[in-house]
Amino acid sequence: MSEVVSLARELIRFDTTNTDDARTATGERAVAEFVAERLEDAGYEPIYVEPAPRRGNVVVRLPGADPGRGALLVHGHLDVVPADASDWSVPPFEGEIRQGYLWGRGAIDMKHMVAMSLAVARRFKRDGIVPERDIVFAFLADEEAGGGLGAGWLVDHRPELFEGVTEAISEVGGFSYTVRDDVRAYLVETAEKGSMWLRLKVRGAAGHGSLVHTDNAAVKLAAALTRLDSHRFPLVLTEPVREFLTGVSELTGEPLDPDDPETAVARLGSLARMIGATLRDTANTTMLSAGYKANVVPAVAEATVDGRMLPGREAAFERELAEVLGPGVEMEWDTLPPVQTTFDGRLVDAMAAAIEAEDPGARVLPYMLAAGTDAKSFQRLGIRHFGFAPLRLPPDLDFTSLFHGVDERVPIDGLEFGDRVLDRLLRTC
Ligand SMILES: [Zn+2]
């Protein structure tokens, strides 16, 4: 078994479930110690940081040939979302290998990239390979709950660990999309939508459930949420989405009408939902509560809405939400800003070259992620972010449904491909 596969397998065997509840999310210390030991074996002196009990983070720096160039950060999170074993075909924390896949929670989100980074970091140190610029490897806790005890904490409290870092790579990108026959595009994330988690509250008149009521908080909230659900935010063709759709159109020969990108998105098969979510802002109701007894009309009804806005749409999104929900709905929210960089420069050229060397004829294309990652924290240090965790996938695999999904798995040959691409990239970038 190759080193990258065996590392990925061992990483999956640590149950690092992050429930968002600090009392139960306790697996990261053991996996972080495992990562630190593997780095020590190879000759590093890892820095271990534990912002809260059992929430481990590990950082090392590999000096490059030209200290004058900005450093590259390669980061990955060690935590995973919960997995209910009764839904799975295999036990989710055993790292089973069957049918050419390594199975388990975290196989693609994102212990595969952690394993690749660890394998390359170890190889470079053992073989005395000096990259062209400093590389900082960071293995992080708590991404699945927003990174408050991982990336976010380190950025606030240990920024010196990222001294001189100008660019970063991590999830979610670098994976292949088979455009036609044997022609693949590799998607590089250059932007992320921002998020706005809203808590909504509607007040009405409480009273006995047997009387006539015209001011029912639950009903008013339900009406507002229904309006929001049927509302479509304006279509905005942002630069990364336009570049992505143009690139796919060049590869397929199917024309792209810039006034009607939705037709082009509909042709993308399993990627259609993911790319479709980056054409507009979205707002989905995720939690709802009101009332406590069958015969009491509640005075208050509450809901949570997961809002996601495109870069440049922060203020407009907020205004439009308030307008659609109407004056009777009180809003409170937490936001994380969108992330965006341009698809150019030496690092991007090196990504394209590394992919081309391992998959001749393939093309790298930028795209926007509808969700968020630790990039949002590192952006606060002025670091440019690219989602690039290289992976070659079989054409029929519905990759996006594996994220946080049942039977998460990574193709073994795709993982080994990713290890070779990452190795090439980190030597030359
Ligand atoms: Zn992830």
Side-chain angles (χ1 to χ4, degrees):
M1 193 185 300
S2 57
E3 180 169 337
V4 69
V5 174
S6 116
L7 285 170
R9 189 174 202 201
E10 287 183 89
L11 289 164
I12 288 170
R13 288 177 175 166
F14 290 92
D15 179 349
T16 54
T17 300
N18 187 347
T19 54
D20 211 350
D21 176 348
R23 287 164 304 182
T24 60
T26 55
E28 290 149 343
R29 178 189 288 169
V31 77
E33 284 174 351
F34 168 80
V35 167
E37 281 162 21
R38 297 287 83 75
L39 290 164
E40 267 166 8
D41 293 346
Y44 289 94
E45 290 175 25
I47 295 165
Y48 180 80
V49 186
E50 204 175 80
R54 308 191 67 84
R55 313 302 300 272
N57 297 270
V58 178
V59 181
V60 290
R61 184 180 288 249
L62 181 64
D66 182 357
R69 284 190 60 205
L72 176 72
L73 171 65
V74 180
H75 62 97
H77 63 83
L78 299 167
D79 60 327
V80 296
V81 293
D84 183 346
S86 63
D87 297 332
W88 283 55
S89 319
V90 299
F93 296 104
E94 287 187 11
E96 273 199 33
I97 291 178
R98 50 161 100 156
Q99 295 151 355
Y101 285 83
L102 170 64
W103 300 62
R105 177 55 87 222
I108 51 119
D109 186 12
M110 59 172 294
K111 287 175 172 172
H112 71 315
M113 177 61 170
V114 170
M116 289 187 245
S117 311
L118 201 48
V120 173
R122 281 163 53 84
R123 191 177 307 133
F124 280 19
K125 195 73 165 178
R126 275 194 315 246
D127 299 350
I129 292 160
V130 178
E132 297 203 8
R133 61 205 282 207
D134 278 17
I135 300 176
V136 176
F137 293 94
F139 303 91
L140 304 165
D142 200 33
E143 192 273 345
E144 297 293 358
L149 299 172
W153 196 92
L154 293 174
V155 163
D156 288 336
H157 300 278
R158 299 293 302 274
E160 78 283 0
L161 295 172
F162 310 105
E163 183 73 50
V165 172
T166 54
E167 294 169 318
I169 61 170
S170 187
E171 60 178 349
V172 175
F175 55 91
S176 68
Y177 163 63
T178 304
V179 177
R180 61 177 160 82
D181 308 327
D182 207 27
V183 176
R184 277 169 291 277
Y186 287 79
L187 280 67
V188 179
E189 190 217 291
T190 58
E192 286 180 5
K193 284 173 97 173
S195 61
M196 186 176 189
W197 287 333
L198 292 128
R199 291 171 300 281
L200 307 181
K201 191 182 270 191
V202 170
R203 297 173 199 275
H208 199 290
S210 67
L211 302 176
V212 173
H213 281 274
T214 55
D215 188 26
N216 185 322
V219 174
K220 287 193 292 183
L221 178 60
L225 294 174
T226 305
R227 278 196 303 279
L228 181 60
D229 198 61
S230 53
H231 179 72
R232 296 188 86 199
F233 290 89
L235 190 146
V236 182
L237 192 56
T238 52
E239 189 56 24
V241 181
R242 194 188 58 74
E243 277 186 69
F244 174 74
L245 293 175
T246 304
V248 170
S249 156
E250 284 164 12
L251 291 170
T252 58
E254 304 246 28
L256 167 69
D257 175 359
D259 293 326
D260 177 27
E262 282 172 317
T263 298
V265 168
R267 289 193 292 253
L268 294 172
S270 64
L271 281 187
R273 288 177 70 209
M274 181 182 187
I275 303 296
T278 59
L279 291 174
R280 303 168 188 274
D281 303 337
T282 58
N284 287 306
T285 301
T286 51
M287 294 161 79
L288 194 54
S289 78
Y292 52 87
K293 197 169 184 308
N295 61 356
V296 179
V297 171
V300 172
E302 292 175 304
T304 302
V305 168
D306 183 355
R308 308 281 175 151
M309 85 295 277
L310 295 166
R313 284 272 308 164
E314 294 96 313
F317 183 58
E318 197 181 306
R319 273 199 309 275
E320 204 166 324
L321 273 171
E323 209 168 284
V324 174
L325 289 167
V329 180
E330 298 167 31
M331 294 168 45
E332 268 180 39
W333 60 84
D334 297 313
T335 51
L336 287 172
V339 173
Q340 189 167 9
T341 190
T342 49
F343 192 55
D344 55 12
R346 193 161 158 183
L347 179 61
V348 169
D349 294 344
M351 285 175 193
I355 290 284
E356 168 68 24
E358 294 292 337
D359 189 353
R363 226 178 118 178
V364 292
L365 296 176
Y367 89 104
M368 185 190 299
L369 181 68
T373 70
D374 278 339
K376 292 210 173 14
S377 297
F378 289 114
Q379 173 171 250
R380 291 193 275 124
L381 294 175
I383 296 172
R384 287 178 83 193
H385 177 266
F386 297 92
F388 190 74
L391 201 56
R392 191 179 58 209
L393 299 170
D396 53 344
L397 182 70
D398 183 1
F399 180 62
T400 52
S401 74
L402 295 177
F403 281 83
H404 299 191
V406 167
D407 286 344
E408 185 178 345
R409 60 197 183 277
V410 64
I412 301 276
D413 58 354
L415 182 59
E416 290 173 339
F417 167 89
D419 177 41
R420 296 194 298 274
V421 171
L422 189 65
D423 186 296
R424 285 179 187 274
L425 174 67
L426 298 190
R427 279 170 203 251
T428 55
C429 66

